[in-house]
Amino acid sequence: MTLALRTADLPATERFEFWRSVVCDAFVPLRAEPGTDDFHGRLRSIHLGELQVTEIDANAHTIHRTPRAIAASDHDYFKLGLQLRGYCVLTQDGREAPLTPGDFAIYDTTRPYTLAFDDSYRQLVLMLPRRLLRVAPEDVGRITAVRVSGRQGVGALVSPLLMRLADHLDEYETPGSVRLADNIVDLLVTLVADRLEIEAPCPDSGRRALMMRITSFIESHLGDHDLGPDTVAAAHFISTRYLHKLFRDEGTTVSCWIRDRRLEHCRRDLRDPLQLDRAVGAIASRWGFADAAHFSRIFRSAYGASPREYRLTSEPTGEITLSVADREY
């Protein structure tokens, strides 16, 4: 179900107060300041799988994510803002990202940020759980408020796709939208990995590049039942001991990384409407789980439900539930 809200039907004196409420409900608690006495705003939003996709068309105002607003939040998200029309300046982690049409930037709702719109604008905002981008905590500050051009590199793949999504938002509320969401997330993961490799600090760049090659190798071999530390180390001509050290420095282990990525792919397949006829055991085997009982146990531990229960309760509806609690004005 598409959420559609606009200020046009309200008296001028009530419009911005209504808009302030709308953006808090649709995203996270925020502080909003008007940039004009004659404010107009329109918002449309849908859910694609775990992605919330929102198109905003409004005139001048400023949005602040403050420490107080952060403390009022229960969930952690990354947001991506794609400029469709007009101009925006995103500020976070001591950087400014000036966005013109086709440009986008990522920001983190667990840290303060500001979005400044000096005139009328149109923007697409993607909001997704932070875990989906698989960014190590120490690396988050290197990807936020970094302008990504929609005219080169991976950005030239992401930007046109999202612009098309914004122009035809209502058309994507279909069962296949879950697969589209997964493809968008995969593109964003590629973008972030590319950005981290480019921006890696010189003393550490070799290790970061090696880790990216290793995790990419793991991702492409998840279906191999014998995938493990020895296999991964041999494929990269390093010792198993050094491989374990690399993952320990990331706060995890090789086996946990492999397991978590396998579980994530299984979870995606289980909520995919196009795979409802595929047996749970077949999905588990596809992603490297040879023992169905073991898979069921660790899936329940990770997601709080058995694979079959999760499949029954995960049919996407596209609905957005709004809350009026914990706003900051």
Side-chain angles (χ1 to χ4, degrees):
M1 180 182 67
T2 303
L3 170 69
L5 297 167
R6 63 179 190 169
T7 63
D9 299 327
L10 296 172
T13 56
E14 299 178 13
R15 287 173 187 162
F16 195 77
E17 192 66 25
F18 173 73
W19 185 255
R20 195 198 316 261
S21 172
V22 164
V23 295
C24 287
D25 286 339
F27 299 114
V28 290
L30 299 162
R31 192 179 81 226
E33 299 173 352
T36 174
D37 292 333
D38 184 24
F39 180 80
H40 293 279
R42 181 178 64 86
L43 177 150
R44 294 190 304 149
S45 191
I46 65 170
H47 272 172
L48 300 180
E50 291 190 270
L51 295 181
Q52 178 179 308
V53 184
T54 305
E55 180 216 2
I56 298 173
D57 193 334
N59 56 6
H61 67 288
T62 303
I63 296 291
H64 302 279
R65 177 73 164 157
T66 65
R68 180 181 170 189
I70 292 168
S73 300
D74 296 327
H75 302 289
D76 302 336
Y77 299 99
F78 280 124
K79 294 170 75 176
L80 180 150
L82 170 71
Q83 202 68 18
L84 300 170
R85 189 186 73 244
Y87 182 74
C88 168
V89 177
L90 164 66
T91 304
Q92 188 170 53
D93 292 321
R95 282 189 300 274
E96 288 188 352
L99 304 180
T100 58
D103 299 336
F104 60 90
I106 293 171
Y107 45 113
D108 176 13
T109 67
T110 69
R111 306 141 87 93
Y113 63 78
T114 297
L115 290 162
F117 306 97
D118 292 336
D119 207 339
S120 297
Y121 74 96
R122 181 170 168 248
Q123 190 177 73
L124 186 75
V125 179
L126 266 61
M127 188 164 74
L128 64 158
R130 290 172 91 247
R131 60 178 172 76
L132 293 184
L133 290 192
R134 308 199 299 274
V135 182
E138 64 271 19
D139 287 333
V140 170
R142 288 167 45 211
I143 67 167
T144 52
V146 174
R147 173 185 165 272
V148 179
S149 170
R151 291 165 286 280
Q152 61 188 31
V154 182
L157 297 175
V158 176
S159 182
L161 172 63
L162 297 184
M163 293 176 80
R164 166 78 183 178
L165 179 62
D167 289 339
H168 302 273
L169 204 59
D170 297 340
E171 298 177 16
Y172 292 97
E173 289 188 290
T174 66
S177 66
V178 172
R179 297 172 69 89
L180 174 62
D182 290 342
N183 290 334
I184 292 173
V185 170
D186 288 341
L187 270 177
L188 295 182
V189 169
T190 301
L191 173 80
V192 167
D194 182 62
R195 179 62 51 181
L196 288 176
E197 187 169 7
I198 291 172
E199 301 294 335
C202 291
D204 202 30
S205 59
R207 188 185 72 86
R208 297 301 302 168
L210 175 59
M211 273 299 293
M212 288 173 188
R213 290 196 298 272
I214 289 171
T215 55
S216 178
F217 174 86
I218 290 173
E219 196 73 13
S220 62
H221 290 81
L222 290 173
D224 299 345
H225 290 186
D226 59 353
L227 181 66
D230 292 341
T231 309
V232 176
H236 293 85
F237 306 101
I238 59 176
S239 69
T240 304
R241 180 178 180 181
Y242 183 58
L243 178 71
H244 284 304
K245 180 182 184 305
L246 289 173
F247 277 83
R248 187 166 60 250
D249 291 345
E250 298 290 329
T252 186
T253 67
V254 188
S255 297
C256 284
W257 185 279
I258 293 171
R259 179 203 63 203
D260 290 348
R261 294 307 302 144
R262 282 173 167 166
L263 284 172
E264 174 63 17
H265 280 280
C266 289
R267 187 182 68 83
R268 286 186 178 189
D269 284 357
L270 287 168
R271 68 191 178 109
D272 185 345
L274 301 182
Q275 299 199 51
L276 289 177
D277 293 335
R278 174 172 274 187
V280 170
I283 289 175
S285 180
R286 176 190 180 192
W287 295 111
F289 291 108
D291 185 328
H294 171 68
F295 166 65
S296 184
R297 285 195 300 272
I298 64 172
F299 189 94
R300 180 184 289 277
S301 177
Y303 300 111
S306 73
R308 287 182 177 80
E309 291 168 344
Y310 184 86
R311 168 177 268 176
L312 290 173
T313 58
S314 294
E315 183 177 350
T317 64
E319 294 184 356
I320 296 176
T321 302
L322 300 181
S323 169
V324 297
D326 295 327
R327 298 184 195 134
E328 173 166 315
Y329 294 99

